[in-house]
Amino acid sequence: MTEAGSGAPGAGPSPHPATVLDDVVHQRVRLGILTVLSEATECRFAALRDELGLTDGNLNRHLRILEQAGLLQTTKGYEGRRPVTWLRLTRAGRAALRAEVTALEQLVSRIRTATAADEES
């Protein structure tokens, strides 16, 4: 069994993947927003709200946080006479989502390695 946090011999300990999770991105609703937006060029507010099962107010609160962090862009306009808000990820938003997924994959890998070691003993 290796000591937690130990890296390769002679190398300093590598940071635990959990330490690189971004609190802005990692929150469940915001991670869902970024994931849905990553699947399309842009998405209407109502479609995102319905996809994630949120209220207008709850979605708005999370969108503001992501927009202030520079991770998404909102555009307001009209479809006919109806006001519509379109949402899209920024480059920074796509990069933040990729970084979050990478950290989560590293966490899963560590868990699988630990589970396999436990099963062998």
Side-chain angles (χ1 to χ4, degrees):
M1 178 97 182
T2 60
E3 182 180 326
S6 64
S14 57
H16 192 279
T19 64
V20 298
L21 294 174
D22 182 335
D23 289 338
V24 171
V25 174
H26 190 71
Q27 196 280 340
R28 180 184 63 85
V29 172
R30 293 191 289 268
L31 185 57
I33 291 167
L34 294 174
T35 302
V36 170
L37 293 179
S38 75
E39 298 168 353
T41 304
E42 66 182 11
C43 183
R44 289 184 354 197
F45 177 94
L48 182 62
R49 177 198 62 212
D50 296 346
E51 178 75 19
L52 297 175
L54 301 170
T55 64
D56 288 356
N58 195 351
L59 179 55
N60 262 321
R61 182 172 63 93
H62 290 291
L63 291 175
R64 255 185 277 121
I65 291 168
L66 292 169
E67 192 171 24
Q68 288 171 350
L71 304 181
L72 70 81
Q73 175 184 13
T74 60
T75 305
K76 296 187 182 279
Y78 290 89
E79 283 182 352
R81 293 178 175 243
R82 292 192 105 168
V84 179
T85 301
W86 291 277
L87 309 160
R88 71 173 45 211
L89 284 183
T90 61
R91 281 193 177 112
R94 289 191 188 282
L97 181 58
R98 278 193 304 273
E100 191 73 12
V101 169
T102 298
L104 290 169
E105 287 171 338
Q106 290 171 353
L107 282 170
V108 169
S109 176
R110 287 174 68 114
I111 292 167
R112 286 188 177 139
T113 300
T115 301
D118 286 347
E119 291 173 356
E120 289 175 3
S121 36

